[in-house]
Amino acid sequence: MTGGSRDDGPAGGRYGEAVFRPGQAGEGERVDFGALAYDDVTMAHLRALGAGPGWRCLDVGAGTGTVSRRLLAEAGVTSVLAVDRDVRFLRREPVPGLDVLQADITAPGAVTGRFQLVHARFVLMHLPDRQRLVAALADLVAPGGVLVLGDAVDLTSDRAPATPYSTAMLAMWDGLRATIGTDVSWVPSYPQLLRGAGLEAVGAGIHVPPLRPGTPISRFWADTWERGRAAMVATGLVDDAALDQALRYLDSDGCAALSAGLLTAWGRKPRAAPNPGPEPGPGPGPGPRLG
């Protein structure tokens, strides 16, 4: 990602303030397009890691709650605590086992307790001090449980031919970084951060949905560009005409590009070592002599 040094702070507030405001018309639908593109692979990871009956789960930055509800309906987990700074979408469809908490995960003590699954997707990429947050989320995992983190990885390359899509994506990442501090450049370091937080059996995978006209991922990027238009144009990398051209290209049969991928990484909290019990004392003395 270009556009400013790593220490630059955001100029326009946080996610949901300067851009992607939950109260903006159509924002829930935009989030759901992303869910349609990525939920199946997320659920496959969570179920493969053991999410199921008896599990108490924490879904951080739960958005519209699609993953939370699927954990209950499909994986059969016992409960899900869905946390977000704005919970209007989560409260629209209450279901048994789903608890909703309006909280800022960056605040110390925002969530308490221990969970067999702690999941956060498309959350940490928008927040500062990620290493501290990974450690804080790892502390919420019960022994034997898993922490699963998912965020975007930008797969556009300087060596690939420039297209209206790649130009728009470059402007989007730069604009979001300058506006709300989004930074995906550190996402490939997730496995190391999970190991550094004391987790074991660390693994990772990347899913790249195909860009085709009318697909959920193409509609997600189109809506994201429209909501981020001012921030994108402010970078100087695109103007309104170039962004309109990119939107037409994204919805055309001639679109040939790689979407940003979802990198999912996970690690398991070591189980507590069994209590060995007290050290054995000295053996009995010699028995009575016979004869």
Side-chain angles (χ1 to χ4, degrees):
M1 183 181 300
T2 61
S5 70
R6 186 170 293 272
D7 293 327
D8 287 345
R14 299 177 63 180
Y15 183 102
E17 297 173 348
V19 291
F20 312 134
R21 296 186 303 277
Q24 185 178 6
E27 178 60 12
E29 288 79 3
R30 183 189 75 90
V31 174
D32 280 344
F33 283 137
L36 286 170
Y38 293 114
D39 272 7
D40 283 349
V41 70
T42 293
M43 286 301 302
H45 284 308
L46 299 183
R47 297 188 74 170
L49 290 165
W55 279 41
R56 182 169 180 252
C57 306
L58 172 65
D59 193 14
V60 176
T64 59
T66 57
V67 170
S68 297
R69 294 186 179 91
R70 288 183 67 171
L71 279 167
L72 290 162
E74 299 173 21
V77 303
T78 297
S79 66
V80 178
L81 177 61
V83 179
D84 211 303
R85 289 173 59 226
D86 190 301
V87 297
R88 70 186 70 192
F89 301 127
L90 293 167
R91 287 181 171 154
R92 285 180 183 174
E93 300 177 39
V95 295
L98 178 63
D99 297 312
V100 174
L101 175 64
Q102 183 165 341
D104 184 346
I105 196 65
T106 65
V111 179
T112 59
R114 293 292 183 272
F115 304 84
Q116 283 73 39
L117 168 66
V118 176
H119 170 252
R121 189 181 70 183
F122 301 136
V123 176
L124 300 188
M125 59 188 273
H126 299 299
L127 297 174
D129 201 6
R130 289 108 184 172
Q131 186 169 356
R132 179 187 67 81
L133 289 174
V134 171
L137 293 176
D139 284 343
L140 295 171
V141 180
V146 292
L147 171 59
V148 182
L149 304 176
D151 265 319
V153 283
D154 181 17
L155 300 178
T156 55
S157 168
D158 293 338
R159 297 185 178 182
T163 67
Y165 171 85
S166 64
T167 300
M169 289 298 280
L170 179 63
M172 182 195 75
W173 294 126
D174 276 17
L176 293 182
R177 174 165 184 147
T179 306
I180 59 175
T182 302
D183 185 358
V184 299
S185 66
W186 67 280
V187 173
S189 68
Y190 266 158
Q192 291 88 350
L193 293 177
L194 291 169
R195 284 293 296 169
L199 303 183
E200 300 177 342
V202 170
I206 295 178
H207 172 67
V208 183
L211 289 170
R212 292 193 297 265
T215 56
I217 191 62
S218 293
R219 297 182 68 178
F220 173 79
W221 290 126
D223 283 0
T224 297
W225 293 349
E226 287 288 12
R227 282 164 171 71
R229 180 181 285 264
M232 293 169 68
V233 170
T235 67
L237 297 172
V238 294
D239 55 18
D240 282 312
L243 185 50
D244 289 339
Q245 180 187 15
L247 288 164
R248 292 191 297 271
Y249 178 81
L250 184 63
D251 197 36
S252 73
D253 290 330
C255 179
L258 289 172
S259 172
L262 167 65
L263 184 146
T264 305
W266 56 86
R268 193 172 296 275
K269 176 73 71 70
R271 293 187 181 276
N275 187 347
E279 289 292 326
R289 293 178 63 186
L290 301 177

